[in-house]
Amino acid sequence: MLETPPAYARTAFTNGYEFTQGTGYALPEYPFVAPPEIGAKQLVRHPIVIVGGGITGLSLACALARYGVEAVLLDEDNTVGVKGASSRGICYTQKSLEVFHRLGIYERIAAKGVQWSVGRTFAGDDEVYSFDLRQQSNFNLSTQPPFINIQQFYIEGYLVERIYELGHVDLRWKSRVTAFTQNADVATLTVETPAGSYQIEADHVIDASGSHTPFHDWVGATMQNKRGDDRWCIADVRFSKHPPVERHTWIEAPFNDNRAVWQHLMADDVWRIDYQMAPNADPDAVSREDVVRERLQRQFGKDVEVEIVWVGPYAYRSRCLDKLRVGRVFFMGDTAKIVSPFGARGGNTGVADADNLAWKLAAVLRGRASPTLLESYNAERLEAAQQNVQVTNRTARFLRPADGMERCFRTAAISLAKQYPFARALVNTGRMAVANSYTRSPLCENTGGQSVQNVAFRWANGSQGVVNDLLQWADGDLLVLVFGELTATGLERLQRLAEHAPVRSVQVLAPDERAQAVEHLRDINARGSAHLQGACHVFGHAWALLRPDGYLAATGEAVDGQLVAAVEKTLGLR
């Protein structure tokens, strides 16, 4: 295994401007190593081949490595990020941060990125409303913040270094897939490298290669497409005098011809500012340095001092596949769907795709679940993709309304929201992403399907733990949390269940309750609050069945046949 590559090298920011050219960082480059298949007389078969080393593919690879599952990742480049696109994704949700905590890179993200929870929405010169996500129940229980802003390539770099540390996954750089076939027995990929071409076989192929993937044509994937005329210019800039560390949104910005503007702080004191342009805007013209600087002066004043790190035009569109699995190929990230970046529903859903499939592949390959478990990936993540496309399309229509009824509605909503709190929900500048619930899952009972936040508790020795610690202890098995006292029959049933199924159980107690199981904890955090039971959506004496991805599979009251049936269903056995 290669040694861990060096960390990022900081370079000086420059005032020079190059069209769609990042100038703020020197991205790390990883060495190409000729794979053993070149020159081999026989095809080598691998259980998993991941195509694409962006945030989605690397998240999947890192999750598999953490489970100890062997895989090969093929990427046609030798670095992270996209050359010529400096920031790309910047806003990472609480659920993604919880996943990154499990993968072992959260602390680096938290140290490098910028936390925020306050957002303000303006129309003209008036503030329409503001919000603090930490006051909302969707975000206020987890030990991770609602959002952290950080350039996407940082996270990708942290994932690469973590994969090198964990082993199990062979990262193959400068490896481009040029052909693909599959049948009932195996998938075969042709790979082009600097050392020559070779073929590789796989049981499962995960396509995370991005929106221009050739796999759609190779497998005959069908999809729903929508392309609008909304045009934007994105500017990554550095100020000598900082704006507030808040999410600022203008629906009708007077300094941008009454079009929308977004303003976010990222790592390294770089601000991402998105300017909505006229539908017929010329990308070259709106991205010229003199035009960008004049636009910044209109927003921040004539005396504003900025360094332009990167500028690029952008056209929003949406796409969603009809099926996320075709034969042996799984689609995830931008190969599965493309959404407008309103509410941070792009890269974050790719991370969720990876987290969803990783534990299922691990369970099947380790012989702990039926292969039919893999079918649930399509059911669960297609529902999430369709929901995210729908939500972001609605935002796009609010920000770029058609003349007539849509524009009349927007004008009325903005006017009412300035005076009446009820109307603020009608102002749609992007519904902030939360973990999607699974209502069509073949694995979850009707009491499950929700994500359990990474809340804190106390171990039996009084030290603090979090839900992710429990999931890591379970090591890919299902986790049963039993709240309150147990009957002797209940204890015996849990012991039998652990002997015959990949399940681990923990008794969850109030501070004054008597422990009956060796594995037990106290539902109380460092501030004296109890959140674990609420995070699992149960009350009183009850049990909650958690999946390795932190999703609730089912809940119940008595430890009986209902729990056994839920375990079988979650493993794809029913």
Side-chain angles (χ1 to χ4, degrees):
M1 183 62 68
L2 296 172
E3 293 183 359
T4 301
Y8 292 96
R10 273 296 298 271
T11 61
F13 284 86
T14 173
N15 289 326
Y17 166 73
E18 296 176 34
F19 184 63
T20 63
Q21 180 66 41
T23 58
Y25 296 89
L27 297 177
E29 293 189 356
Y30 308 111
F32 166 76
V33 177
E37 287 86 351
I38 290 183
K41 295 181 180 180
Q42 290 185 330
L43 287 177
V44 179
R45 185 163 180 165
H46 297 269
I48 299 172
V49 172
I50 303 166
V51 182
I55 192 169
T56 301
L58 290 171
S59 293
L60 175 64
C62 192
L64 292 172
R66 194 177 67 85
Y67 289 126
V69 174
E70 303 293 317
V72 172
L73 185 145
L74 306 170
D75 191 78
E76 63 184 17
D77 209 341
N78 68 335
T79 186
V80 292
V82 173
K83 291 176 179 177
S86 180
S87 55
R88 296 194 76 214
I90 65 164
C91 193
Y92 294 92
T93 67
Q94 187 175 87
K95 180 61 180 179
S96 293
L97 298 174
E98 290 173 343
V99 173
F100 295 142
H101 181 262
R102 257 185 279 133
L103 298 182
I105 65 169
Y106 168 73
E107 296 301 330
R108 296 186 71 181
I109 293 171
K112 187 68 175 176
V114 176
Q115 297 186 23
W116 70 274
S117 62
V118 174
R120 300 185 187 278
T121 298
F122 302 87
D125 295 321
D126 299 324
E127 181 174 325
V128 178
Y129 71 94
S130 63
F131 60 82
D132 187 342
L133 295 174
R134 285 195 175 276
Q135 306 304 317
Q136 300 179 14
S137 60
N138 289 334
F139 298 98
N140 64 4
L141 301 182
S142 178
T143 52
Q144 273 63 54
F147 286 91
I148 288 181
N149 284 6
I150 184 173
Q151 293 88 326
Q152 181 173 321
F153 58 77
Y154 274 124
I155 295 180
E156 293 174 357
Y158 299 156
L159 287 167
V160 169
E161 293 171 14
R162 180 65 170 149
I163 293 166
Y164 277 114
E165 180 183 343
L166 291 169
H168 302 293
V169 174
D170 184 1
L171 298 176
R172 299 187 180 182
W173 307 105
K174 289 188 174 294
S175 299
R176 183 179 185 184
V177 179
T178 58
F180 171 82
T181 61
Q182 65 173 335
N183 55 40
D185 299 320
V186 70
T188 304
L189 302 92
T190 302
V191 185
E192 183 182 278
T193 78
S197 296
Y198 67 95
Q199 288 190 318
I200 187 173
E201 290 186 338
D203 296 320
H204 307 287
V205 176
I206 292 82
D207 181 19
S209 59
S211 60
H212 300 293
T213 175
F215 279 88
H216 290 165
D217 291 333
W218 287 339
V219 305
T222 59
M223 64 197 73
Q224 306 301 314
N225 265 307
K226 181 178 180 181
R227 185 182 292 274
D229 61 358
D230 207 10
R231 301 289 183 268
W232 293 71
C233 180
I234 299 171
D236 291 353
V237 300
R238 211 178 183 200
F239 293 95
S240 59
K241 183 179 180 181
H242 288 184
V245 183
E246 299 173 340
R247 175 189 187 258
H248 282 191
T249 302
W250 285 264
I251 309 166
E252 298 170 342
F255 50 83
N256 190 42
D257 301 323
N258 285 328
R259 294 188 177 91
V261 173
W262 267 251
Q263 179 180 302
H264 275 277
L265 175 62
M266 303 181 288
D268 302 306
D269 292 329
V270 178
W271 290 81
R272 164 87 170 261
I273 306 177
D274 298 30
Y275 294 102
Q276 187 182 39
M277 298 287 97
N280 58 352
D282 177 12
D284 292 310
V286 299
S287 302
R288 286 202 330 261
E289 180 178 357
D290 61 316
V291 175
V292 172
R293 288 189 177 280
E294 193 272 335
R295 194 180 297 130
L296 288 165
Q297 288 175 355
R298 289 205 308 264
Q299 180 175 357
F300 296 100
K302 290 287 187 180
D303 59 346
V304 64
E305 296 180 6
V306 297
E307 294 174 296
I308 295 178
V309 181
W310 175 81
V311 176
Y314 199 88
Y316 294 162
R317 62 188 172 116
S318 66
R319 181 177 73 196
C320 188
L321 295 190
D322 296 321
K323 293 179 63 177
L324 302 191
R325 182 184 185 185
V326 181
R328 295 180 175 274
V329 180
F330 297 85
F331 294 100
M332 62 172 50
D334 285 351
T335 69
K337 54 88 191 76
I338 298 174
V339 298
S340 301
F342 303 122
R345 294 173 182 265
N348 287 292
T349 57
V351 174
D353 291 343
D355 195 39
N356 183 284
L357 185 58
W359 77 267
K360 297 171 183 178
L361 285 170
V364 171
L365 292 175
R366 294 156 94 181
R368 301 181 185 181
S370 166
T372 59
L373 176 67
L374 301 178
E375 288 298 324
S376 66
Y377 171 76
N378 178 75
E380 293 179 347
R381 295 312 300 168
L382 181 59
E383 178 185 12
Q386 292 171 337
Q387 186 179 79
N388 288 316
V389 167
Q390 181 185 62
V391 169
T392 53
N393 281 349
R394 287 174 177 170
T395 301
R397 289 176 63 186
F398 187 86
L399 295 174
R400 175 81 174 87
D403 290 336
M405 187 58 69
E406 287 187 9
R407 187 166 293 279
C408 181
F409 170 80
R410 190 180 89 159
T411 301
I414 293 171
S415 178
L416 288 168
K418 293 177 181 179
Q419 301 181 59
Y420 303 105
F422 82 89
R424 294 170 185 171
L426 303 176
V427 177
N428 188 349
T429 60
R431 308 303 187 197
M432 301 311 296
V434 296
N436 293 92
S437 296
Y438 302 142
T439 64
R440 306 200 298 255
S441 172
L443 307 184
C444 299
E445 300 289 357
N446 57 12
T447 56
Q450 306 92 5
S451 177
V452 176
Q453 288 178 272
N454 190 33
V455 301
F457 55 78
R458 287 183 183 171
W459 296 108
N461 64 5
S463 62
Q464 180 171 297
V466 293
V467 169
N468 275 348
D469 295 330
L470 289 170
L471 298 176
Q472 184 169 356
W473 170 74
D475 189 30
D477 289 348
L478 303 182
L479 178 66
V480 179
L481 300 180
V482 184
F483 295 87
E485 294 184 4
L486 279 161
T487 64
T489 303
L491 274 170
E492 183 180 353
R493 286 172 176 166
L494 289 173
Q495 290 170 346
R496 285 189 200 164
L497 187 62
E499 292 171 359
H500 297 93
V503 176
R504 298 195 182 190
S505 302
V506 176
Q507 186 180 24
V508 183
L509 301 165
D512 57 346
E513 288 182 313
R514 179 177 61 91
Q516 300 164 277
V518 174
E519 291 84 11
H520 67 274
L521 57 86
R522 304 286 175 180
D523 189 6
I524 183 171
N525 62 21
R527 297 189 299 272
S529 301
H531 291 315
L532 182 54
Q533 191 164 22
C536 292
H537 305 279
V538 294
F539 304 94
H541 289 78
W543 55 263
L545 180 62
L546 271 64
R547 311 183 332 180
D549 60 354
Y551 268 81
L552 198 62
T555 64
E557 296 182 359
V559 179
D560 53 19
Q562 180 187 358
L563 173 57
V564 175
V567 169
E568 292 176 342
K569 185 174 183 177
T570 307
L571 295 174
L573 302 175
R574 290 180 61 223

